[in-house]
């Protein structure tokens, strides 16, 4: 056995197959637009392919992809062109991602959250990341992530109260 750290390998096709749902879902949660999420998806994997970066392991690659997705998504949502051309009242609806009605309602409620709560909720429940992984991906302290998860759950509960608890 070697003392060298094990390098994460795999061609770009294998990387896309493994992480496409994570990257696209995070981009969609961040941008709120399927078209923008498609663009972010392409840019993230293009950046991965072009970087030639050597990753220590799969966790390192996953963290890099998450951070890159957040950064590229931020560029899309902060663009002055987008702010001037797409009024919030006319933003495209997120596509239906789930077959079950309840799951789709939960997804729509998550999309309705403020970004500060939406991203940690998405990463924790949909991508099953730990609070430490989320903290690294979003450049936050773990305590801040836990607080945002707690407040996000409270807001989700309020949003979903009429849909699920009044039946």
């Amino acid at each position: 056995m070697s003392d060298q750290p094990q390098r994460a390998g795999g061609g770009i096709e294998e990387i896309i197959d493994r992480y496409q749902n994570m990257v696209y879902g995070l981009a969609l949660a961040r941008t709120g637009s399927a078209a923008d999420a498609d663009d972010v998806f392409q840019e993230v994997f293009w950046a991965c392919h072009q970087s030639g970066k050597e990753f220590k392991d799969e966790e390192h690659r996953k963290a890099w992809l998450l951070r890159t997705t957040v950064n590229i998504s931020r560029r899309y949502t902060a663009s002055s062109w987008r702010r001037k051309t797409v009024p919030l009242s006319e933003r495209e609806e997120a596509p239906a991602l789930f077959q079950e009605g309840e799951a789709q309602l939960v997804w729509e409620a998550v999309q309705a959250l403020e970004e500060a709560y939406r991203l940690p909720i998405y990463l924790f429940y949909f991508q099953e990341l730990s609070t430490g992984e989320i903290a690294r991906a979003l450049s936050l302290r773990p305590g801040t992530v836990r607080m945002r998860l707690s407040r996000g759950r409270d807001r989700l509960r309020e949003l979903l109260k009429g849909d699920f608890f009044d039946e």
Side-chain angles (χ1 to χ4, degrees), residues 11-74:
I12 192 66
E13 294 87 8
E14 181 183 330
I15 295 166
I16 292 171
D17 285 344
R18 184 174 295 152
Y19 295 108
Q20 65 185 343
N21 291 338
M22 178 189 76
V23 168
Y24 183 80
L26 179 56
L28 184 59
R30 177 75 171 84
T31 65
S33 162
D36 287 343
D38 289 339
D39 291 343
V40 169
F41 178 91
Q42 289 178 8
E43 282 196 44
V44 167
F45 287 111
W46 178 251
C48 181
H49 177 69
Q50 289 295 105
S51 74
K53 186 166 179 58
E54 287 287 327
F55 297 98
K56 295 183 290 192
D57 54 28
E58 282 305 311
E59 285 304 310
H60 183 216
R61 183 190 319 274
K62 184 177 182 179
W64 186 90
L65 288 168
L66 285 168
R67 187 74 235 152
T68 302
T69 303
V70 167
N71 288 338
I72 292 173
S73 297
R74 182 176 294 130

Side-chain angles (χ1 to χ4, degrees), residues 94-114:
L97 299 177
F98 301 97
Q99 299 296 325
E100 300 172 25
E102 288 180 357
Q104 184 63 31
L105 284 174
V106 171
W107 173 253
E108 290 170 6
V110 168
Q111 289 298 300
L113 292 173
E114 300 165 30

Side-chain angles (χ1 to χ4, degrees), residues 102 105 161-167:
E102 288 180 357
L105 284 174
K161 204 173 260 188
D163 291 329
F164 290 116
F165 302 115
D166 288 343
E167 294 179 353

Side-chain angles (χ1 to χ4, degrees), residues 74-93:
R74 182 176 294 130
R75 199 170 60 225
Y76 273 80
T77 58
S79 122
S80 63
W81 179 85
R82 179 179 173 159
R83 284 194 308 266
K84 292 176 185 173
T85 60
V86 183
L88 289 176
S89 61
E90 296 176 18
R91 280 184 74 180
E92 159 187 345
E93 291 293 320

